[in-house]
Amino acid sequence: MAAILLSGLAKSYANGVAALHGIDLAIADGEFVVIVGPSGCGKSTLLRLIAGLETASAGSIRIGARDVTRLEPAERDIAMVFQNYALYPHMSVRDNMAYGLRNRGVARAEIARRVAEAAAMLELAPFLERKPRQLSGGQRQRVAMGRALVREPAAFLFDEPLSNLDAKLRVQMRGEIKRLQRRTATTSVYVTHDQAEAMTMGDRLLVLRDGGAEQLGTPLDVYRYPETVFVAGFIGSPAMNFLPGTVVRQGRSLRLGESLLLALPGHGLPGEDGRPLIAGIRPEHFRIASGNPLCALEAELVEHLGGATLVHGRLGAAPLTASIDGALAVASGDVLPLALDAEAVHLFDPETERRIVPAA
């Protein structure tokens, strides 16, 4: 087990494309960090740099007390779990798990002990003599994790390991991976584009955008206090609503759209009346008003999800989605009176797209 320290890490290719630029990240010993972002943002490249499968163009990588920036993958004492399992089809589960240890010359008794322990931990003991083709997708992924686990590495690296599984199995496996990481207390870096995995698995969350770090924090902090419009729109499902706003009444209120007024908490906002803002509102922060609604939303599309119902409509020219109690009977064409607490509104500067916090 070891801490991981990335300093000014960058990766550029011969065609001039910069996949990563200036990544600084300190991962504590035993910490589970999830890296999330859209396709092409550089998250898999970052993981491959840590693993040594790509060569850094600039910056450094330290694992524990060692600078491993120029070391080969086999010298870094890491284990990687891929989305395609990467199992040897002609080998049994036992041999797949033991293969790396045999190549390193580990004693047979020690190999048997480690494989037996990992198999018990991952509930693979009944399948040790089977070939990968005789296993389900979830069982194959357990074998891939077992192969990494027996190495007793300084760190685990996970590259979208659950993307090939169905929705129900993904939920089960993400719980198993998290329990395994807590049990072994091994430093782990996990790459995903899945919102649920990002929010539920990591101790901290790193959001990447176009090769740069957009925000780092605990999952709940990133969700509750997004630093930019990008983070606010990317983290959370369904996505945050963004409405054009204007400062009015000496910064004490916010006008949304043509006429809706929302009193702001605290002492309001700096700046003159008429200052434009972007107001971000999560769908779940709307509620059906019992009196004095903020707005009336005509349901253009209704999605019944069981516990919640998503109602899609428009506020002026801007699209708006509200998540309401799934027990309420709502159909397309219904007009819903909506209320909202001002504390739930996220404010952003339209030029910098960075968060604005009202004065306390």
Side-chain angles (χ1 to χ4, degrees):
M1 296 180 289
I4 298 175
L5 179 63
L6 312 180
S7 301
L9 199 61
K11 176 63 179 179
S12 298
Y13 294 98
N15 59 5
V17 174
L20 287 172
H21 46 84
I23 300 295
D24 296 309
L25 177 63
I27 303 173
D29 187 4
E31 188 178 18
F32 194 128
V33 170
V34 175
I35 301 172
V36 67
S39 297
C41 71
K43 54 186 183 294
S44 289
T45 300
L46 179 56
L47 200 71
R48 291 173 64 84
L49 287 173
I50 298 172
L53 301 176
E54 298 270 4
T55 303
S57 303
S60 65
I61 304 166
R62 298 188 68 87
I63 299 178
R66 299 188 304 151
D67 186 332
V68 302
T69 312
R70 303 301 169 191
L71 295 184
E72 293 297 319
E75 301 175 286
R76 298 192 181 201
D77 193 21
I78 53 91
M80 194 162 182
V81 180
F82 300 91
Q83 64 183 16
N84 62 356
Y85 318 134
L87 302 177
Y88 294 105
H90 62 288
M91 290 185 182
S92 67
V93 169
R94 185 190 304 277
D95 289 339
N96 265 285
M97 293 172 65
Y99 183 76
L101 297 180
R102 287 175 182 159
N103 281 351
R104 293 165 60 188
V106 177
R108 294 178 67 177
E110 178 64 12
I111 292 175
R113 181 190 68 80
R114 293 192 194 182
V115 169
E117 287 184 358
M121 193 180 301
L122 295 166
E123 299 181 359
L124 288 171
F127 311 109
L128 285 174
E129 305 310 322
R130 293 190 186 182
K131 300 292 177 59
R133 66 177 179 274
Q134 298 172 301
L135 304 176
S136 68
Q139 290 166 342
R140 293 178 194 179
Q141 193 55 272
R142 286 195 191 98
V143 176
M145 289 191 292
R147 181 182 54 195
L149 185 62
V150 298
R151 293 185 55 188
E152 298 179 355
F156 287 133
L157 306 181
F158 296 90
D159 188 9
E160 303 201 47
L162 308 183
S163 60
N164 290 336
L165 305 180
D166 62 52
K168 182 177 180 180
L169 195 51
R170 281 202 302 271
V171 173
Q172 177 186 342
M173 289 300 299
R174 75 185 187 220
E176 291 186 8
I177 290 174
K178 184 60 180 175
R179 283 192 292 271
L180 175 66
Q181 193 274 337
R182 285 178 175 171
R183 182 170 176 177
T184 61
T186 304
T187 308
S188 299
V189 184
Y190 188 105
V191 160
T192 184
H193 63 273
D194 185 274
Q195 293 282 322
E197 290 178 28
M199 288 299 298
T200 59
M201 297 183 69
D203 300 317
R204 285 190 298 161
L205 191 61
L206 174 65
V207 183
L208 291 186
R209 179 189 186 189
D210 297 332
E214 193 81 355
Q215 187 169 348
L216 174 67
T218 68
L220 283 179
D221 278 348
V222 173
Y223 179 82
R224 291 171 177 166
Y225 312 108
E227 292 294 331
T228 65
V229 169
F230 173 80
V231 173
F234 187 78
I235 298 297
S237 181
M240 182 180 285
N241 299 288
F242 294 107
L243 303 173
T246 307
V247 175
V248 294
R249 296 181 178 177
Q250 289 77 51
R252 298 300 181 93
S253 298
L254 181 69
R255 176 179 285 119
L256 298 175
E258 294 293 328
S259 58
L260 301 180
L261 285 179
L262 186 66
L264 294 172
H267 298 297
L269 291 166
E272 299 179 354
D273 282 8
R275 175 189 180 183
L277 295 173
I278 298 173
I281 307 170
R282 296 203 181 275
E284 61 267 30
H285 289 152
F286 286 106
R287 64 179 185 277
I288 300 297
S290 56
N292 299 319
L294 172 70
C295 65
L297 180 68
E298 181 177 353
E300 297 176 354
L301 173 67
V302 177
E303 296 180 282
H304 298 284
L305 304 180
T309 295
L310 301 184
V311 181
H312 304 272
R314 305 191 76 81
L315 181 61
L320 186 71
T321 300
S323 177
I324 62 173
D325 188 346
L328 297 175
V330 182
S332 296
D334 290 350
V335 178
L336 306 180
L338 297 181
L340 173 72
D341 293 328
E343 289 81 1
V345 178
H346 302 265
L347 301 176
F348 302 94
D349 186 297
E351 292 186 4
T352 65
E353 295 194 345
R354 298 202 65 82
R355 181 181 183 86
I356 300 172
V357 181

